[in-house]
Amino acid sequence: DAGVTQSPTHLIKTRGQQVTLRCSPKSGHDTVSWYQQALGQGPQFIFQYYEEEERQRGNFPDRFSGHQFPNYSSELNVNALLLGDSALYLCASSSRYNEQFFGPGTRLTVL
Amino acid sequence: GNSVTQMEGPVTLSEEAFLTINCTYTATGYPSLFWYVQYPGEGLQLLLKATKADDKGSNKGFEATYRKETTSFHLEKGSVQVSDSAVYFCALSEASGTSYGKLTFGQGTILTVHP
């Protein structure tokens, strides 16, 4: 049983560019959450998707947007990249009454 | 809003020493509490959880008890190994009684265990 998978593993972008990160949930999970983890910090909640709708959102600007597909996979889009967006982006999947399982993350570097 | 506070600073221990990592929280309602571990270059792995007051979570020799009266969820292990070296995160979920919903994390505690 494959766990949560994320792509790409690493990504380098320049300021002002746009980026799309992808996540495939663990089999049987219908909910996907995204977190941003800056170096040396704990993960910060970006948003959560369920039934293709954004159900909950953290304190992130509108430059951060997402999507969930009918097969429950998800994308995170970040527009107009800033240097401060450099971080490890973690995807977590879950289903009702089960804990969140995390993927290995995508390391984004903005130059 | 909800928040989680972990003990500051890295922890360095010798193998077979006793480990305590303190965690306190602020939350409305009755959150679920978690400890996650992150090994170098990897994502987060759930170590243990507790969903109601006085519950004790345990896994791989690690334990933590949900103390509502002191709003704490301290992580303990009686004898650490070199392989326990990692970053440990305390977290809470707003979803009362379940593991579903937004996670709020502490800042993490780096544990280094020497032979």
Side-chain angles (χ1 to χ4, degrees), chain A residues 30-31 35 37 40-43 45 48 50 55-56 88 90 94-100 102-104, chain B residues 34 36 38 41-46 49 89 93-94 97-108:
Chain A
D30 58 9
T31 300
Y35 295 82
Q37 186 180 16
Q41 302 294 318
F45 176 75
Q48 184 179 84
Y50 173 69
R55 180 164 64 179
Q56 200 174 9
L88 180 68
L90 296 166
S94 58
S95 61
R96 194 162 180 82
Y97 302 120
N98 287 305
E99 64 269 16
Q100 294 185 23
F102 283 80
Chain B
F34 307 85
Y36 280 86
Q38 187 173 36
E42 298 184 12
L44 301 173
Q45 299 176 25
L46 178 67
K49 66 179 181 182
F89 293 95
S93 169
E94 299 174 335
T98 74
S99 307
Y100 206 46
K102 166 188 171 181
L103 288 169
T104 300
F105 286 88
Q107 69 270 36

Side-chain angles (χ1 to χ4, degrees), chain A residues 37 40-43, chain B residues 4-11 21-22 35-36 38 44 86-91 105-111:
Chain A
Q37 186 180 16
Q41 302 294 318
Chain B
V4 175
T5 302
Q6 292 182 229
M7 59 189 299
E8 295 183 4
V11 175
I21 301 177
N22 291 336
W35 278 99
Y36 280 86
Q38 187 173 36
L44 301 173
V87 184
Y88 291 80
F89 293 95
C90 185
F105 286 88
Q107 69 270 36
T109 300
I110 301 172
L111 171 65

Side-chain angles (χ1 to χ4, degrees), chain B residues 8-27:
Chain B
E8 295 183 4
V11 175
T12 302
L13 296 172
S14 297
E15 205 165 26
E16 299 183 3
F18 184 84
L19 168 70
T20 299
I21 301 177
N22 291 336
C23 171
T24 58
Y25 67 91
T26 302

